[in-house]
Amino acid sequence: MKAKPKIFSFELFPPKTEKGVARLHETVQTLNAHNPAYFSVTYGAGGSTQSNTFATVDWVKGRGIKIAPHLSCVGSTREEIVKILARYASQGIGRIVALRGDLPSGAGSGSMGDLNHANELVELIREHFGKTFHIEVAAYPEMHPQAVNFGKDLENFKRKVDAGADSAITQYFYNADAYANFIEACERLGIDIPIVPGIMPITNFSSLVRFSDGCGAEIPRWLRKRLEAYGDDIDSIRALGADVVTRLCQRLLEMGAPGLHFYTMNQAMPTLAIWDRLGLDSAS
Ligand code: FAD
């Protein structure tokens, strides 16, 4: 039997400045030369972030490149969400990353919106748009930071799958066993959608620590200590990071991961350093 092609995708965030927009355009053009399955663009609960997401989606889509907008439901009414989805459907966009999202710090609980969890967003998309969109959802091999426990988090992940999610992208992690264990637990629950590992290249120690603390991703002690010891030596941090993350990707692909989703942080080079070492130009 012929093996299924692996899905390789690149995540972008909507830039806020002209300089950021110029860099994003350059990054998309550079990465698109490597034939990803699609790019995705993050989405935030604040107003200006949302219009920046639409501008990024329009620009990428306008170049004939496949784009999957992220859409979070926190802080929005059903009508607002349906309006955004209708806009995407009219643009011929066929893939959405459906999330609950997080409210900006300081927002009161009154601003939660009509939907409480991502499974309700998946239901709403299927209810109003049928099979128009391929729906991606988030998965957490190291558990979502607000989850009661691993088992409950897994049950909640299954709710999204049962509501109609087609595939999932994971939070990033640096321990391949966390992914293997999560996949096994999913299989035991009868979850059989593709679960693509999210890959975070390592470029800067302090921002990686800040980010990881916020989203509950673990940096193994040995890696944290080695990166920390490099201080401001960015070149050494990037070189070690590229080696470590390439080995992680190799293990994940050998384990049967259905693809890789790179959190590019709008920079082409850190992702391409890993891509080239993996020899993915011949695989994608
Ligand atoms: P949910 O699936 O709703 O889960 C959130 C928490 O609630 C979990 O602890 C879960 O166990 C629990 N839960 C879920 N369903 C239920 C239920 N029915 N009843 C009770 N408890 C439940 N954030 C953004 O703001 N914008 C983005 O663009 C963005 N992109 C992301 C992309 C990926 C691939 C990933 C992994 C994360 C992304 N995030 C983004 C972060 C994400 O929004 C946060 O992690 C958020 O806290 C949870 O979103 P979710 O869709 O996983 O929520």
Side-chain angles (χ1 to χ4, degrees):
M1 204 172 77
K2 209 171 152 220
K4 273 195 181 163
K6 304 265 186 197
I7 306 154
F8 297 105
S9 49
F10 298 130
E11 183 168 310
L12 309 165
F13 66 85
K16 292 191 184 115
T17 62
E18 271 180 36
K19 209 171 144 199
V21 170
R23 187 171 77 172
L24 174 111
H25 292 175
E26 210 182 304
T27 296
V28 171
Q29 272 151 353
T30 305
L31 290 176
N32 194 46
H34 297 272
N35 293 318
Y38 65 93
F39 285 82
S40 82
V41 183
T42 62
Y43 180 81
S48 68
T49 332
Q50 296 177 354
S51 53
N52 291 338
T53 297
F54 299 144
T56 306
V57 168
D58 293 349
W59 188 86
V60 177
K61 177 77 180 141
R63 264 127 209 99
I65 299 170
K66 284 211 177 92
I67 183 81
H70 295 207
L71 180 60
S72 60
C73 56
V74 73
S76 297
T77 62
R78 286 172 180 273
E79 288 70 29
E80 285 164 345
I81 294 166
V82 169
K83 209 169 141 197
I84 294 171
L85 288 161
R87 170 198 170 116
Y88 288 148
S90 73
Q91 287 178 284
I93 287 168
R95 187 186 286 256
I96 296 282
V97 183
L99 304 143
R100 182 197 70 179
D102 293 306
L103 280 176
S105 53
S109 57
S111 39
M112 272 307 287
D114 285 349
L115 307 178
N116 291 316
H117 290 290
N119 63 297
E120 295 168 38
L121 176 60
V122 176
E123 272 166 29
L124 182 123
I125 299 174
R126 288 290 178 238
E127 183 195 327
H128 286 264
F129 296 90
K131 285 278 181 190
T132 303
F133 299 107
H134 175 111
I135 304 178
E136 301 274 357
V137 290
Y140 301 85
E142 295 181 327
M143 210 178 92
H144 184 264
Q146 293 155 0
V148 179
N149 59 42
F150 185 79
K152 289 271 180 249
D153 204 28
L154 203 60
E155 280 171 27
N156 290 329
F157 176 58
K158 187 169 187 300
R159 288 178 205 264
K160 300 192 271 196
V161 178
D162 292 344
D166 295 292
S167 48
I169 303 167
T170 76
Q171 184 56 276
Y172 69 89
F173 53 86
Y174 294 106
N175 179 352
D177 288 337
Y179 176 77
N181 187 281
F182 182 75
I183 296 296
E184 275 167 30
C186 286
E187 281 168 3
R188 280 198 295 276
L189 280 185
I191 297 171
D192 61 359
I193 61 167
I195 300 173
V196 175
I199 302 298
M200 179 67 89
I202 297 174
T203 54
N204 177 305
F205 178 64
S206 52
S207 59
L208 181 71
V209 169
R210 202 176 51 247
F211 228 72
S212 304
D213 286 348
C215 71
E218 188 184 58
I219 309 171
R221 181 182 152 82
W222 66 269
L223 179 57
R224 187 184 275 254
K225 291 287 173 200
R226 283 199 60 189
L227 291 170
E228 197 174 14
Y230 285 130
D232 294 334
D233 180 357
I234 294 286
D235 289 344
S236 298
I237 289 175
R238 289 187 174 204
L240 175 65
D243 277 350
V244 168
V245 179
T246 301
R247 267 202 307 276
L248 171 71
C249 294
Q250 273 161 345
R251 272 200 70 196
L252 294 168
L253 292 171
E254 280 160 21
M255 277 175 190
L260 300 169
H261 177 80
F262 289 91
Y263 295 108
T264 70
M265 306 306 285
N266 293 1
Q267 299 175 56
M269 288 314 145
T271 289
L272 286 183
I274 301 163
W275 185 275
D276 290 342
R277 283 165 208 229
L278 290 169
L280 291 181
D281 275 333
S282 49
S284 59

